[in-house]
Amino acid sequence: MKRTVIAISLFALAAGMELTAQQAPGGRGLAATMNVWVFPQKGQSESQQAKDEGACYNWAVQNTGTDPFQLMRQAQNQQAQQQQAQANAANAGQGAVVGGAARGAAAGAIFGAIGGNAGRGAAIGAGAGGLIGNSRGNQAQNSAQAQANQQSMAQQNTNQQINNFKNAFTLCLEGKGYLARF
């Protein structure tokens, strides 16, 4: 009974969140909030369907070890982090060549002035600084892309956990005489 109360509370919480709840014909409960379509095949009433959905929710949580509402929030956060990581990867290293060339030219001009030809020293320093800046820019971009890839893998893992939960949930409902799909 306690798990059913928790499940109904989570349902009420999720209804207030930005989850896309689709109302399946014949069911407006927990399953619809998770985008699972449930149809009674044995003439079950809406109240019986709500009880069965609560029982199957509890069974699926227990057997998969995951809570879909927590995973949905986690997936939303991961998606935002992945988008940020991709933007960082796209911007990483930009300006590194120019910045390196400018720093190299300044240093080259100083050493060139000591040697008697500041212009030639600046040119050599700019070339060397540009190469170093390019290398650092490439490293920054590779690092940012690796981070974006990690975020993508984490999001795929979360989505797989949600699908595993939905599989368990629908199997339970089918065992109780419903047609269930997601």
Side-chain angles (χ1 to χ4, degrees):
M1 182 68 181
K2 186 176 181 181
R3 284 192 168 259
T4 303
V5 170
I6 291 171
I8 292 170
S9 298
L10 286 173
F11 168 69
L13 262 171
M17 293 175 41
E18 291 184 25
L19 296 176
T20 55
Q22 297 176 354
Q23 297 301 323
R28 300 179 187 199
L30 193 55
T33 303
M34 295 182 290
N35 294 323
V36 175
W37 296 83
V38 180
F39 300 93
Q41 291 187 312
K42 296 181 179 179
Q44 298 96 324
S45 67
E46 282 190 38
S47 64
Q48 181 62 46
Q49 182 175 338
K51 289 177 188 175
D52 290 340
E53 286 180 11
C56 287
Y57 174 88
N58 292 333
W59 182 85
V61 166
Q62 183 178 16
N63 284 283
T64 63
T66 58
D67 179 344
F69 296 111
Q70 182 181 23
L71 289 174
M72 286 178 193
R73 285 189 297 275
Q74 182 177 331
Q76 289 172 344
N77 291 337
Q78 286 172 338
Q79 184 176 12
Q81 289 173 352
Q82 181 185 9
Q83 290 171 348
Q84 182 62 45
Q86 287 173 341
N88 290 346
N91 295 329
Q94 288 186 351
V97 174
V98 174
R103 285 187 296 277
I110 292 170
F111 290 113
I114 293 171
N117 190 344
R120 184 166 187 244
I124 293 171
L131 290 174
I132 292 170
N134 185 41
S135 175
R136 288 181 181 162
N138 286 341
Q139 288 174 349
Q141 191 169 22
N142 290 341
S143 175
Q145 187 59 49
Q147 184 181 6
N149 290 343
Q150 286 177 332
Q151 288 295 333
S152 177
M153 289 173 46
Q155 187 175 9
Q156 289 173 1
N157 184 39
T158 299
N159 289 339
Q160 184 61 45
Q161 288 177 320
I162 291 171
N163 284 340
N164 288 343
F165 177 88
K166 287 182 178 182
N167 278 327
F169 183 71
T170 58
L171 285 172
C172 177
L173 286 169
E174 288 174 358
K176 293 182 177 288
Y178 297 89
L179 177 63
R181 297 288 184 267
F182 65 95

